[in-house]
């Protein structure tokens, strides 16, 4: 074992202890407040507040009971699940070539009288201009970073549509890893938004036309849409006859040293709210909520994404589906039942997604192999790949 | 069904002068310990090898095997209900090269070249076994092989396999026993238990 330079732990131990103590000290009383707020929750009053609330946070909306639990329906005896997961080899600035590689892994699992599995991957090299740039007359945006993330999400959804066969004899659920709300588009220029949305929405519509439900599964979700509704519930602005206005309130913290009423609540994400405070049980799901994300304004109403929380046995996950799926009780129950069964098979995470991920994952050796291939192909034409000095110093570390 | 397809049990995934590792066509379908398999070499020869080890494990070494069974679901039914298992697991066997046949002549020495990767491995037919083992002068190759399975166990498994494949040929068994005695003549403590294990009439 080499003698690496350690960080100076003695310098941070005491401050770390202080942070933990402060955190624990403030959290416990806040949880008591949370329990009181939940007990006193007046849905009619809160819905009224929501109607006029001005907040930059996302608020979950529903017409029926916010904190209702729904037990797992019976698992369908036979069903098919199609899962896709994508990974990317990003553009490498160390090579003179412009490209990225999209790798979409998929798993089709069928259960019932005959059980079958199909695991494979579709790899695509994207190297021509239409794939490398999003253009709009005078402007050109490279497909990289967040934009590449959108491209990947589109590829996963399109692959899932292709893999869902037209065989209607077996009920099918398509599952994707991650959200169906294209958050990444927020803040991007309009022409990029259209570029991303067009194929994505077309694929969503295709699922609706085939009457095949599609769900986005988010493990360890960080969202607080439902929790933010509790903030609205405890807000003191309505007590003064004012609508809830978070921007105004937050601004007063700086100008007046004001302490927002909702600071008395613990700062927790929805998954903790449902698991710990609301005691969602394994297999149960929450109410279905509408998201207030602005990106959804671009979606047709039937395809607008709604979500619920699901206890998978080991965690509370967030499941997103298009509105038309949730509107059909039988279909919603099918999605719920299949997800519970899939999670039971793989210790709390849908088995099909796990297998799709395994197919998609790109190992370090494979990235190296790709670079080696490029080096060799270039060498055939007498071109040598020049590494940057920084890259060379990382490959061969010396003292 | 063509001969080759009927007998193909695996494909070579690792190869060397002393033997090879083969991935089985079907999960769990591993040729028995001590049995004879053969594969074609680059020069047209047929290389004979003795199966020395078998295992079933995850295709991706990074993925651990975890319990999949639950109440009411175990063994063969478990595999039926988990269709992805046959895609993420594989069975392998190791085989030790003990000779080859070229132009109709059997040679009980190591082949000069290892068989190529990805070539098919077949299980030897009874005729192949009878022909190759007519004069069992290759036991010393097996005796000097060190692998996962103790060499003596491997030898006993192989001799018993050949004895059965030759229709319980006692004349051959005596020949085999004499050959074992010759190989282990310096090691009486090892030789006796070996011979006892080979006795077809022992309980």
């Amino acid at each position: 074992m080499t003698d690496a330079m350690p960080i100076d732990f003695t310098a941070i131990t005491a401050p770390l202890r202080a942070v933990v103590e402060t955190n624990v000290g403030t959290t416990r009383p806040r949880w008591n407040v949370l329990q009181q707020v939940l007990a006193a929750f007046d849905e009619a009053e809160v819905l009224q507040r929501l109607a006029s609330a001005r907040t930059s946070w996302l608020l979950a909306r529903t017409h029926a009971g916010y904190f209702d639990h729904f037990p797992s329906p019976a698992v369908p005896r036979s069903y098919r699940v199609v899962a896709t997961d994508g990974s990317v080899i990003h553009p490498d600035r160390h090579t003179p070539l412009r490209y990225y590689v999209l790798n979409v892994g998929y798993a089709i699992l069928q259960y019932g009288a005959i059980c079958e599995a199909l695991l494979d991957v579709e790899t695509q090299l994207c190297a021509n201009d239409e794939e490398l740039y999003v253009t709009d007359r005078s402007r050109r945006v490279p497909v990289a970073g967040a934009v590449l993330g959108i491209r990947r999400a589109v590829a996963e959804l399109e692959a899932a549509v292709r893999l869902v066969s037209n065989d209607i004899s077996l009920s099918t659920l398509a599952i994707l890893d991650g959200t169906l709300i294209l958050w990444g588009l927020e803040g991007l220029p309009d022409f990029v938004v259209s570029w991303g949305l067009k194929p994505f929405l077309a694929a969503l519509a295709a699922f609706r036309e085939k009457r095949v439900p599609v769900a986005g599964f988010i493990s360890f979700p960080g969202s607080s849409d439902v929790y933010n509704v509790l903030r609205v519930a405890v807000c003191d602005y309505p007590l003064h006859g004012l609508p809830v206005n978070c921007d105004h309130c937050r601004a007063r913290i700086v100008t007046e040293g004001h302490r927002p009423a909702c600071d008395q609540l613990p700062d927790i994400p929805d998954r903790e709210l449902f698991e710990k405070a609301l005691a969602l049980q394994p297999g149960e799901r929450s109410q279905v909520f509408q998201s207030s994300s602005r990106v959804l304004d671009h979606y047709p109403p039937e395809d607008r994404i709604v979500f619920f929380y699901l206890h998978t046995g080991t965690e509370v996950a967030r499941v997103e589906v298009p509105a038309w799926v949730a509107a059909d009780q039988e279909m919603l129950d099918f999605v719920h039942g299949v997800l519970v069964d899939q999670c039971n098979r793989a210790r709390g995470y849908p088995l099909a997604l796990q297998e799709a991920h395994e197919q998609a994952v790109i190992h370090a050796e494979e990235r190296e192999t790709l670079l080696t291939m490029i080096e060799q192909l270039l060498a055939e034409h007498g071109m040598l790949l020049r590494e940057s000095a920084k890259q060379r110093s990382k490959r061969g570390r010396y003292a | 069904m063509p001969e080759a397809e009927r007998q193909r049990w695996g494909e070579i995934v690792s190869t060397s002068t002393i033997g090879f590792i083969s991935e089985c066509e079907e999960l769990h379908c591993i040729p028995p310990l001590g049995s004879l398999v053969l594969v074609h070499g680059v020069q047209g020869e047929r290389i004979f090898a003795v199966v020395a080890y078998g295992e079933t494990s995850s295709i991706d070494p990074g993925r651990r095997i975890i319990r999949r069974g639950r109440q009411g679901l175990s063994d063969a039914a478990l595999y039926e209900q988990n269709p992805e298992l046959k895609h993420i697991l594989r069975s392998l066997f190791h085989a030790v090269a003990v000779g080859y046949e070229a132009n109709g002549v059997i040679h009980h020495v190591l082949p000069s070249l290892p068989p190529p990767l990805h070539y098919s491995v077949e299980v030897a037919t009874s005729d192949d076994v009878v022909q190759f083992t007519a004069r069992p002068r290759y036991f010393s190759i097996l005796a000097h092989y060190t692998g996962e399975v103790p060499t003596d166990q491997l030898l006993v498994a192989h001799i018993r396999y050949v004895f059965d494949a030759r229709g319980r040929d006692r004349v051959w068994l005596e020949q085999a026993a004499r050959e074992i005695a010759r190989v282990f003549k310096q090691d009486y403590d090892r030789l006796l238990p070996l011979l006892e294990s080979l006795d077809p009439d022992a309980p």
Side-chain angles (χ1 to χ4, degrees):
Chain A
M1 188 163 141
T2 57
D3 280 325
M5 296 295 196
I7 64 172
D8 186 0
F9 282 103
T10 55
I12 62 172
T13 309
L16 199 58
R17 189 187 302 277
V19 164
V20 170
E21 277 172 13
T22 310
N23 185 276
V24 170
T26 48
T27 302
R28 275 208 197 101
R30 290 188 186 186
W31 271 86
N32 293 335
V33 171
L34 175 61
Q35 297 293 2
Q36 288 160 19
V37 168
L38 286 172
F41 194 81
D42 178 347
E43 212 157 272
E45 154 79 15
V46 171
L47 286 175
Q48 260 196 326
R49 290 185 178 204
L50 285 175
S52 57
R54 289 184 53 187
T55 112
S56 50
W57 295 317
L58 291 172
L59 294 169
R61 292 174 195 277
T62 182
H63 300 299
Y66 262 91
F67 305 125
D68 289 352
H69 293 192
F70 298 84
S72 169
V75 172
R77 285 202 153 275
S78 56
Y79 68 87
R80 185 186 290 127
V81 58
V82 172
T84 61
D85 189 16
S87 58
V88 175
I89 299 184
H90 291 272
D92 187 335
R93 62 191 185 95
H94 299 284
T95 77
L97 304 180
R98 296 189 187 285
Y99 68 89
Y100 55 88
V101 176
L102 271 181
N103 209 39
V104 179
Y106 62 87
I108 305 177
L109 303 179
Q110 181 177 307
Y111 303 92
I114 301 172
C115 297
E116 299 265 339
L118 178 60
L119 313 175
D120 210 337
V121 69
E122 290 175 351
T123 308
Q124 197 187 345
L125 180 76
C126 301
N128 61 41
D129 273 0
E130 296 99 62
E131 288 159 330
L132 292 175
Y133 298 99
V134 185
T135 49
D136 166 47
R137 279 168 295 182
S138 54
R139 290 173 296 173
R140 203 165 84 141
V141 168
V143 177
V147 181
L148 182 50
I150 301 287
R151 178 76 185 83
R152 178 176 58 77
V154 168
E156 289 171 0
L157 194 64
E158 285 180 334
V161 170
R162 277 199 305 277
L163 293 167
V164 163
S165 76
N166 294 316
D167 170 15
I168 53 162
S169 62
L170 200 57
S171 300
T172 303
L173 170 67
I175 320 182
L176 267 66
D177 178 35
T179 182
L180 293 178
I181 303 173
L182 289 183
W183 305 99
L185 288 176
E186 275 175 7
L188 292 178
D190 286 345
F191 71 97
V192 179
V193 172
S194 313
W195 164 86
L197 274 179
K198 191 154 170 261
F200 193 84
L201 293 180
L204 271 189
F207 278 109
R208 178 166 32 91
E209 277 145 34
K210 293 189 198 220
R211 298 292 300 171
V212 170
V214 57
F217 183 91
I218 300 151
S219 167
F220 205 69
S223 46
S224 338
D225 306 51
V226 178
Y227 176 76
N228 290 335
V229 172
L230 290 179
R231 288 184 196 262
V232 169
V234 304
C235 183
D236 56 355
Y237 271 47
L239 299 177
H240 303 288
L242 298 166
V244 172
N245 191 331
C246 303
D247 303 324
H248 188 266
C249 178
R250 292 272 141 189
R252 286 170 57 209
I253 300 173
V254 176
T255 57
E256 296 169 30
H258 165 69
R259 193 167 168 251
C262 54
D263 268 10
Q264 53 182 315
L265 292 172
D267 190 11
I268 57 171
D270 284 350
R271 64 172 192 272
E272 267 193 60
L273 177 68
F274 280 94
E275 190 178 1
K276 296 189 185 150
L278 296 168
L280 199 64
Q281 295 302 303
E284 286 186 340
R285 67 163 174 87
S286 72
Q287 182 61 267
V288 176
F289 302 103
Q290 288 167 3
S291 167
S292 56
S293 166
R294 294 263 63 109
V295 173
L296 293 176
D297 293 346
H298 298 285
Y299 289 46
E302 319 95 315
D303 290 336
R304 280 200 189 132
I305 306 302
V306 298
F307 66 95
F308 58 87
Y309 290 100
L310 173 71
H311 197 308
T312 68
T314 56
E315 64 159 348
V316 169
R318 172 171 161 136
V319 179
E320 294 179 351
V321 292
W324 69 268
V325 170
D328 180 337
Q329 187 62 47
E330 225 178 276
M331 193 154 284
L332 182 61
D333 284 345
F334 174 71
V335 173
H336 185 181
V338 168
L339 282 174
V340 167
D341 185 50
Q342 284 290 298
C343 289
N344 280 340
R345 290 170 184 272
R347 307 203 164 183
Y349 187 76
L351 178 64
L353 268 182
Q354 179 183 286
E355 293 303 332
H357 172 75
E358 291 288 340
Q359 293 296 313
V361 88
I362 303 173
H363 300 282
E365 308 92 64
E366 292 171 300
R367 291 175 201 269
E368 282 297 320
T369 304
L370 179 63
L371 282 178
T372 307
M373 270 174 71
I374 293 173
E375 272 178 21
Q376 286 173 349
L377 289 168
L378 286 171
E380 281 171 24
H381 294 272
M383 287 176 66
L384 283 180
L385 210 56
R386 283 199 175 284
E387 282 185 344
S388 66
K390 182 175 173 186
Q391 182 90 325
R392 218 174 298 123
S393 84
K394 281 189 189 171
R395 286 224 218 179
R397 294 171 59 213
Y398 52 85
Chain B
M1 203 183 292
E3 278 287 323
E5 277 182 45
R6 178 170 62 84
Q7 293 168 349
R8 175 175 152 120
W9 274 55
E11 183 177 305
I12 297 182
V13 294
S14 174
T15 188
S16 73
T17 307
I18 58 167
F20 51 86
I21 302 177
S22 178
E23 181 173 322
C24 302
E25 283 294 286
E26 262 187 64
L27 199 60
H28 310 309
C29 291
I30 305 175
L33 183 70
S35 60
L36 269 174
V37 292
L38 47 85
V39 58
H40 286 86
V42 276
Q43 293 163 333
E45 74 280 30
R46 293 194 311 158
I47 298 168
F48 284 78
V50 173
V51 176
Y53 172 77
E55 76 168 30
T56 299
S57 54
S58 172
I59 288 179
D60 183 343
R63 296 184 72 177
R64 289 176 2 246
I65 308 293
I66 55 166
R67 179 176 52 82
R68 294 280 191 135
R70 48 180 194 270
Q71 199 159 36
L73 188 68
S74 60
D75 301 348
L78 189 154
Y79 278 88
E80 279 159 32
Q81 288 297 311
N82 288 282
E84 75 285 356
L85 281 178
K86 58 181 184 290
H87 297 278
I88 63 178
L89 301 177
R90 66 171 177 177
S91 294
L92 294 176
F93 61 90
H94 295 198
V96 185
V98 288
Y100 62 95
E101 176 257 302
N103 305 315
V105 180
I106 303 281
H107 304 267
H108 288 134
V109 291
L110 290 181
S112 49
L113 294 173
L117 285 177
H118 301 298
Y119 269 40
S120 303
V121 181
E122 304 165 4
V123 163
T125 61
S126 310
D127 289 342
D128 290 328
V129 175
V130 166
Q131 200 194 9
F132 185 80
T133 61
R135 297 178 65 232
R137 302 289 289 183
Y138 57 90
F139 292 167
S140 55
I141 303 178
L142 273 182
H144 286 97
Y145 171 75
T146 42
E148 301 279 346
V149 171
T151 316
D152 295 5
Q153 290 287 311
L154 179 57
L155 274 165
V156 167
H158 175 62
I159 293 171
R160 282 184 171 180
Y161 158 82
V162 176
F163 176 61
D164 283 335
R166 294 181 70 99
R168 298 184 73 82
D169 181 350
R170 283 180 177 258
V171 170
W172 180 87
L173 189 60
E174 277 170 28
Q175 247 194 315
R178 278 199 297 278
E179 179 63 17
I180 288 289
R182 195 184 63 81
V183 170
F184 289 107
K185 64 175 179 281
Q186 309 283 14
D187 195 341
Y188 201 64
D189 291 330
R190 210 169 152 193
L191 175 59
L192 268 193
L194 251 178
L195 291 176
E196 278 166 23
S197 308
L198 294 176
D199 186 348
D201 303 319

